[in-house]
C-alpha cells in the first residue's frame, strides 16, 4: 500500500518492521505528525463511507464532522456569506467576497485554522449575538438541509446518539443540527462576546476546532466511552476519528445529489432571509453585481404599476420582465363585469398577491391587511383596509367592504415560502356566499420578496429586483352553496375545505401552523406590528 511506502521513506530501515505492525489508522496518524501526508483516493487510512454497514446502527453513537462530511460542500464560505449578508448587511458581504481569495490561500496553503479565523472575524465582528442567533435559526437551516450528503446522512441519522464536532462557530450550526438532525451535542468553535452582547470576531480558547483540538473535544465529551462511529473527510479529522471504534472517510464526490426533502427527519416549513440561491463565491459575485441594476429595474417596475391603469399593466410588466400567468376564469356577469360582492380567498405568497389578482381580473379590488408597513399601504395601487384583529370589528369591516364591492382576503394571515399552506382563519366564511378560491404562486431567482425579521416595506422592492419575477394566478370554480355556511356548513368546515382545494391545486400540503407559530420560530415574537391602530377594545376577542 502507498502509505507503507511513505512510511519507509520517513523512517530508518530498522524501524520499518515495528511500524508494519501498526494498524492503518495508527500508522497514517504517525505519518501525519511526521510528514504532513494528504490523503488521496488510493491512500485512505480509513475505510470509505460507502462500506459502512447501516443495518445495525440503532443504539450506537456517532461523532461526525460537518463541512464535507455531513454536507456535500467542503467549503463553509456560503454560510459565512449568509451571516455576513443577513446579519451584517451588503457592505460586510462585499468585504467578505473581496477577502475570500486570501481566506482560500490561508485555508489551503498555510493553515486551515487561519483561514477559518479570517472568515469568522469578517462575518461576525461587531454583530450582535442575538442577530447571529436569529440568522442561525431562521436562515441557515434551509441551506444546510439542501446540502446534506446522502451517504453520511443515512449513517448519521441511523445512530441513536449523534454528536457533531466542527470548526464552524457553534452558535452558527447548533440550531440547525439540534432542530433538524436531533443532535445530542455540538462541539464547535466558541466566539468571544462582549458584555453588551456583541461578537468580537475572536475565537475563545482553545481556538478553532481543527486537528488535535477536535480530538481533545471528543475525548472530553465522551471520556472513556469512545464513539462507535467516526465520520470525517480530511486530514485534520483523523485525530478525532482515530478515537472512535470504527471510522469512515467521506471522499469528495461531485456526482452525488443532496438528500431529497422527503427524507428529512423534520420538514422545513419556515425560513427567512433575502437570498434565494446558495451564495457560493460565484453566486455572491452575481448577486452583488446585479443588485444595483435590479434596484433601478425594481423602481421602474413599481413606478409603471402606479402610473398605468390596470388594463395595460400586463403588457407593460411583460416588457419590463415581470411575468404574470393567469389560469381559470374569473367570475363575471353576462355583460363581462366582475360581479359585486365576490370574496376572493387566496393563498398568501407575498404582499403583492392582491395586486396581481386585481391585474388578473382587470378590476380594482379591496384587500384587507394585517400589520403591514404604512409605506406599503401608501404605494399600493389598490385600496387596502387594515384589520384590527378584533373579531367583531373585523367582521363588521369586511361585511361593509363586501357591500361596496369585491374583496380579497388571505386567511393564512402570513406568507409561507415552502409548498405548505398554513391554517386558514374561518372568519371570512361567515361573511359571504359568493366565495371564489384563488391559488397564488410566485417564482424568484435571487431575492425573496418576504421577510419575518426585516423591514416589510422593502418586500415589494426585493421581489421586483429579481431578473424575471413570476406570478401565477389560478381561479378555481366558485364555491357551491351547499359548501358554504348558508348550505349548513360550519365556518371551520368551509375554511378547511377551501384550504384543501387550494393545496391540491398547487400541489402543496396543508398544515395547522399559524402566523404566531411562524414568527415565534423565525423572529421570537408574535409578528404583530403595533402603531396604535391595532389596539383592540377591552371586550374584543381574537380571531
Amino acid at each position: 500500500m502507498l502509505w507503507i511506502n511513505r512510511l519507509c521513506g520517513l523512517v530508518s530501515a530498522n524501524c520499518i518492521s515495528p511500524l508494519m505492525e501498526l494498524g492503518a489508522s495508527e500508522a497514517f496518524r504517525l505519518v501525519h505528525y511526521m510528514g504532513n501526508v494528504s490523503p488521496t483516493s488510493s491512500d485512505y487510512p480509513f475505510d470509505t463511507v460507502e462500506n459502512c454497514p447501516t443495518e445495525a446502527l440503532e443504539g450506537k453513537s456517532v461523532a461526525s464532522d460537518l463541512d464535507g462530511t455531513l454536507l456535500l460542500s467542503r467549503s463553509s464560505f456560503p454560510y459565512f456569506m449568509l451571516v455576513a449578508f443577513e446579519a451584517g448587511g451588503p457592505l460586510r458581504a462585499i468585504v467578505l467576497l473581496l477577502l475570500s481569495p486570501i481566506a482560500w490561500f490561508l485555508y489551503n496553503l498555510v493553515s486551515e485554522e487561519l483561514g477559518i479565523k479570517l472568515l469568522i472575524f469578517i462575518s461576525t465582528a461587531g454583530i450582535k449575538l442575538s442577530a447571529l442567533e436569529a440568522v442561525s435559526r431562521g436562515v441557515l437551516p434551509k441551506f444546510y438541509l439542501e446540502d446534506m450528503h446522502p451517504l453520511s446522512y443515512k449513517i448519521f441519522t441511523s445512530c441513536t446518539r449523534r454528536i457533531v464536532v466542527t470548526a464552524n462557530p457553534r452558535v452558527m450550526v447548533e440550531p440547525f443540527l439540534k432542530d433538524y438532525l436531533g443532535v445530542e451535542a455540538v462541539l464547535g468553535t466558541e466566539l468571544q462576546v462582549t458584555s453588551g452582547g456583541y461578537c468580537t470576531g475572536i475565537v475563545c480558547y482553545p481556538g478553532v476546532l481543527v486537528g488535535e483540538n477536535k480530538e481533545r473535544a471528543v475525548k472530553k465529551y465522551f471520556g472513556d466511552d469512545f464513539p462507535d462511529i467516526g465520520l470525517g473527510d480530511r486530514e485534520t479529522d483523523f485525530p478525532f476519528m482515530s478515537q472512535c471504534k470504527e471510522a469512515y472517510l467521506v471522499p469528495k464526490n461531485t456526482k452525488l445529489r443532496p438528500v431529497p426533502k422527503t427524507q428529512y427527519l423534520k420538514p422545513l416549513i419556515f425560513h427567512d432571509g433575502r437570498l434565494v440561491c446558495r451564495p457560493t463565491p460565484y453566486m455572491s459575485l452575481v448577486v452583488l453585481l446585479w443588485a444595483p441594476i435590479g434596484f433601478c429595474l425594481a423602481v421602474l417596475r413599481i413606478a409603471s404599476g402606479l402610473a398605468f391603469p390596470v388594463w395595460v399593466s400586463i403588457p407593460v410588466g411583460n416588457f419590463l420582465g415581470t411575468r404574470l400567468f393567469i389560469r381559470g376564469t374569473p367570475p363575471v356577469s353576462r355583460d363581462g363585469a366582475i360581479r359585486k360582492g365576490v370574496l376572493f380567498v387566496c393563498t398568501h405568497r407575498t404582499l403583492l398577491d392582491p395586486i396581481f389578482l386585481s391585474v388578473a381580473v382587470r378590476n380594482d379590488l379591496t384587500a384587507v391587511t394585517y400589520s403591514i408597513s404604512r409605506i406599503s399601504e401608501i404605494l399600493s395601487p389598490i385600496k387596502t383596509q387594515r384589520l384590527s384583529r378584533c373579531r367583531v370589528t373585523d367582521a363588521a369591516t369586511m361585511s361593509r367592504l363586501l357591500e361596496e364591492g369585491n374583496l380579497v382576503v388571505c386567511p393564512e394571515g402570513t406568507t409561507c415560502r415552502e409548498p405548505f399552506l398554513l391554517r386558514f382563519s374561518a372568519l371570512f366564511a361567515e361573511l359571504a356566499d359568493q366565495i371564489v378560491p384563488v391559488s397564488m404562486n410566485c417564482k424568484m431567482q435571487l431575492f425573496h420578496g418576504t421577510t419575518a425579521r426585516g423591514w416589510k416595506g422593502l418586500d415589494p422592492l426585493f421581489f421586483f429586483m429579481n431578473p424575471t419575477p413570476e406570478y401565477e394566478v389560478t381561479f378555481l370554480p366558485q364555491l357551491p352553496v351547499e359548501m358554504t355556511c348558508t348550505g349548513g356548513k360550519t365556518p371551520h368546515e368551509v375554511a378547511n375545505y377551501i384550504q384543501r382545494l387550494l393545496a391540491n391545486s398547487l400541489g402543496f400540503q396543508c398544515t395547522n401552523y399559524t402566523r404566531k407559530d411562524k414568527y415565534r420560530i423565525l423572529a421570537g415574537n408574535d409578528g404583530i406590528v403595533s402603531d396604535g391602530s391595532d389596539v383592540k377594545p377591552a371586550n374584543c376577542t381574537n380571531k
Side-chain angles (χ1 to χ4, degrees):
M1 294 176 63
L2 184 55
W3 65 268
I4 297 179
N5 295 332
R6 294 191 177 184
L7 282 173
C8 295
L10 291 171
V11 298
S12 58
N14 61 350
C15 294
I16 293 178
S17 198
L19 287 171
M20 291 283 288
E21 298 176 3
L22 294 173
S25 60
E26 291 82 358
F28 196 95
R29 191 175 173 200
L30 177 60
V31 178
H32 164 69
Y33 293 116
M34 297 175 61
N36 195 28
V37 178
S38 298
T40 63
S41 59
S42 59
D43 189 27
Y44 291 141
F46 305 103
D47 203 351
T48 57
V49 70
E50 294 90 343
N51 298 321
C52 176
T54 59
E55 294 79 15
L57 294 180
E58 187 175 356
K60 291 190 175 182
S61 59
V62 57
S64 174
D65 180 42
L66 185 62
D67 296 313
T69 304
L70 283 179
L71 304 180
L72 285 169
S73 172
R74 297 169 66 90
S75 171
S76 56
F77 173 86
Y79 310 107
F80 284 107
M81 175 57 76
L82 286 166
V83 170
F85 184 84
E86 302 290 355
L91 183 59
R92 187 185 293 264
I94 292 173
V95 173
L96 179 60
L97 183 62
L98 291 176
L99 295 182
S100 60
I102 299 177
W104 182 93
F105 177 83
L106 292 174
Y107 186 93
N108 291 280
L109 301 178
V110 179
S111 165
E112 182 179 339
E113 183 175 3
L114 286 178
I116 295 175
K117 280 185 176 179
L118 180 59
L119 292 175
I120 291 175
F121 181 80
I122 300 171
S123 303
T124 65
I127 288 180
K128 205 168 181 70
L129 179 62
S130 59
L132 178 56
E133 290 172 340
V135 171
S136 302
R137 182 178 60 250
V139 179
L140 296 183
K142 170 186 182 292
F143 295 93
Y144 280 131
L145 282 171
E146 292 177 349
D147 193 29
M148 295 299 298
H149 194 294
L151 300 179
S152 53
Y153 176 85
K154 184 176 182 181
I155 296 170
F156 189 78
T157 54
S158 298
C159 294
T160 302
R161 295 186 64 197
R162 305 163 193 161
I163 291 84
V164 170
V165 52
T166 175
N168 290 314
R170 178 188 54 80
V171 68
M172 276 180 56
V173 301
E174 190 171 57
F176 156 70
L177 292 171
K178 288 194 171 182
D179 291 345
Y180 290 91
L181 294 187
V183 168
E184 176 183 306
V186 179
L187 312 180
T189 302
E190 297 294 338
L191 302 180
Q192 287 186 4
V193 182
T194 68
S195 57
Y198 288 88
C199 299
T200 65
I202 308 299
V203 301
C204 297
Y205 179 83
V208 178
L209 255 62
V210 295
E212 292 182 351
N213 284 343
K214 281 188 176 181
E215 179 184 18
R216 281 192 287 267
V218 170
K219 283 183 177 180
K220 181 179 179 180
Y221 184 81
F222 283 95
D224 296 331
D225 185 17
F226 297 141
D228 296 302
I229 305 292
L231 300 175
D233 69 291
R234 64 195 74 196
E235 183 182 344
T236 52
D237 294 332
F238 295 167
F240 95 82
M241 293 170 66
S242 66
Q243 300 301 314
C244 303
K245 298 174 184 177
E246 298 178 43
Y248 297 91
L249 200 63
V250 183
K252 183 178 181 181
N253 190 336
T254 57
K255 296 181 180 179
L256 290 176
R257 295 181 177 272
V259 174
K261 292 183 178 181
T262 55
Q263 295 182 17
Y264 291 170
L265 294 182
K266 176 183 176 181
L268 176 71
I269 298 178
F270 301 120
H271 60 87
D272 202 17
R274 290 295 189 185
L275 297 181
V276 173
C277 52
R278 188 167 169 269
T280 61
Y282 171 75
M283 283 307 304
S284 299
L285 181 61
V286 169
V287 169
L288 293 174
L289 289 178
W290 172 260
I293 302 173
F295 176 81
C296 297
L297 189 57
V299 171
L300 183 59
R301 288 166 171 167
I302 293 173
S304 66
L306 296 173
F308 294 104
V310 171
W311 61 274
V312 297
S313 296
I314 296 179
V316 172
N318 286 335
F319 177 77
L320 295 175
T322 303
R323 304 286 183 258
L324 175 61
F325 302 96
I326 304 172
R327 295 180 172 85
T329 305
V332 296
S333 59
R334 293 181 180 179
D335 58 1
I338 298 295
R339 298 196 304 271
K340 187 177 180 180
V342 174
L343 179 63
F344 293 94
V345 180
C346 304
T347 55
H348 201 5
R349 309 308 286 175
T350 75
L351 291 177
L352 300 170
D353 295 331
I355 297 174
F356 279 98
L357 176 59
S358 181
V359 173
V361 300
R362 292 176 172 81
N363 201 302
D364 290 332
L365 306 175
T366 300
V368 291
T369 63
Y370 299 93
S371 300
I372 68 171
S373 66
R374 286 298 184 188
I375 191 171
S376 297
E377 292 179 328
I378 294 171
L379 293 178
S380 175
I382 65 173
K383 181 182 177 182
T384 62
Q385 175 65 55
R386 179 173 293 222
L387 298 181
S388 66
R389 297 188 180 278
C390 169
R391 187 179 187 85
V392 177
T393 303
D394 290 345
T397 300
M398 294 171 66
S399 296
R400 173 177 55 81
L401 293 173
L402 279 169
E403 291 176 0
E404 296 173 357
N406 300 310
L407 187 64
V408 183
V409 61
C410 300
E412 291 175 278
T414 189
T415 58
C416 181
R417 295 174 178 177
E418 294 300 309
F420 297 93
L421 292 188
L422 308 187
R423 191 174 71 197
F424 277 25
S425 170
L427 177 62
F428 73 89
E430 304 173 12
L431 308 176
D433 294 332
Q434 295 188 81
I435 301 176
V436 177
V438 183
S439 63
M440 313 289 292
N441 207 356
C442 59
K443 293 182 181 179
M444 292 155 277
Q445 296 82 33
L446 298 179
F447 304 103
H448 283 294
T450 60
T451 182
R453 294 173 49 251
W455 186 35
K456 297 181 184 301
L458 293 179
D459 285 359
L461 182 69
F462 273 99
F463 175 82
F464 285 114
M465 280 178 63
N466 287 284
T468 55
E470 297 181 4
Y471 240 97
E472 182 179 298
V473 181
T474 303
F475 294 95
L476 301 184
Q478 180 175 315
L479 217 62
V481 176
E482 58 270 19
M483 294 306 300
T484 66
C485 292
T486 303
K489 299 294 183 181
T490 66
H492 289 289
E493 288 176 333
V494 175
N496 292 339
Y497 175 72
I498 294 179
Q499 184 196 32
R500 290 193 298 271
L501 279 180
L502 293 174
N504 293 335
S505 170
L506 292 167
F508 289 5
Q509 294 182 40
C510 296
T511 74
N512 284 322
Y513 286 104
T514 65
R515 176 190 178 91
K516 286 186 178 181
D517 295 324
K518 170 187 169 179
Y519 280 89
R520 284 171 180 168
I521 291 172
L522 298 181
N525 56 57
D526 288 344
I528 298 176
V529 179
S530 179
D531 60 356
S533 62
D534 293 334
V535 177
K536 298 185 287 293
N539 61 347
C540 225
T541 57
N542 290 329
K543 294 194 290 289

